[in-house]
Amino acid sequence: MGAPSAGSVVEAYRDGVTSIAKFAAAMNDQDWHRTACGDWSAGELARHLAAVTDWYHQWLDRSLIDDFEPPFSVDELADQNELEVHERRALTGPEAISFFVDAADGYLDRVMADPELWDRPFGYPFGTATVGLHLGAAANEWHVHASDLAGAVGLTHVPADVATTVSALVWCQAQSTGRGGVARARLSDLRPQRNRWARFLAITGRT
């Protein structure tokens, strides 16, 4: 599975952000309390998304001062996620999604403003990749969580470009130095075939 083009990664990223905003806009007050991702409610997932986009800006800031080490280890990721969600507990679901959309769009603007950033080293919990590679992993995460929000209210989500959405994460993990993603071996076996998005979601623990 080869590297997706920069243009396709950017479009997949935008599609992921738009999809999250679309599903969130259709949710009512009760829907935000429905289980969406593991033990998280849709509201907690929204606060996670707000936290993640905050991280991405911080990690890009670190890259710009030549700090390319992971901000924390992958073993700490679950605890860091829970801490960040808890710290944002005052945010409602819609408020967290609004923050997410603004921050995610702003992050893409920062990356696209300087073509040289694409190949700049970038530390994240799974190791050190590049800004461009990690943008692909981010696009994948947006689509996975769009599926989570959709599933919370009995809907489904499929990315407009499944091939890029899946291969972007695989390529980022494959090219990262340090400890790779836990699902790398299984993800690398995915091929362009029918129901690949459903198979990918199953690998991430979704049903």
Side-chain angles (χ1 to χ4, degrees):
M1 191 178 296
S5 69
S8 65
V9 166
V10 170
E11 288 308 307
Y13 182 102
R14 287 177 174 149
D15 180 39
V17 174
T18 300
S19 297
I20 286 171
K22 177 187 70 175
F23 289 117
M27 300 179 79
N28 59 37
D29 290 345
Q30 182 179 358
D31 291 336
W32 290 107
H33 298 284
R34 297 183 187 278
T35 302
C37 177
D39 294 331
W40 282 341
S41 67
E44 289 169 323
L45 175 57
R47 293 191 282 277
H48 165 70
L49 287 164
V52 168
T53 47
D54 227 356
W55 278 346
Y56 290 176
H57 282 278
Q58 293 171 27
W59 299 348
L60 182 57
D61 290 341
R62 295 173 75 250
S63 173
L64 292 174
I65 60 171
D66 298 332
D67 183 352
F68 309 132
E69 293 299 313
F72 48 81
S73 75
V74 68
D75 296 326
E76 299 174 272
L77 184 56
D79 287 343
Q80 290 290 333
N81 275 327
E82 292 295 340
L83 177 63
E84 295 287 346
V85 169
H86 180 72
E87 288 186 346
R88 290 165 174 77
R89 61 192 180 280
L91 289 176
T92 66
E95 288 171 344
I97 293 297
S98 179
F99 180 97
F100 159 75
V101 171
D102 288 344
D105 288 345
Y107 183 76
L108 182 61
D109 288 343
R110 290 183 68 188
V111 172
M112 300 305 293
D114 183 356
E116 293 186 1
L117 280 182
W118 194 265
D119 295 318
R120 189 173 183 82
F122 183 97
Y124 74 124
F126 290 99
T128 302
T130 65
V131 172
L133 285 169
H134 186 263
L135 194 74
N140 182 288
E141 180 164 11
W142 303 159
H143 284 287
V144 169
H145 289 320
S147 290
D148 291 334
L149 284 177
V153 291
L155 302 175
T156 58
H157 166 69
V158 178
D161 183 352
V162 172
T164 293
T165 301
V166 173
S167 64
L169 176 64
V170 176
W171 195 250
C172 181
Q173 292 190 352
Q175 300 301 311
S176 297
T177 60
R179 184 171 179 176
V182 293
R184 180 189 297 175
R186 297 173 67 191
L187 289 175
S188 65
D189 291 334
L190 288 169
R191 297 290 183 268
Q193 56 184 273
R194 190 176 181 181
N195 296 328
R196 184 163 58 154
W197 182 242
R199 292 175 58 223
F200 172 80
L201 289 177
I203 287 173
T204 67
R206 277 77 178 174
T207 58

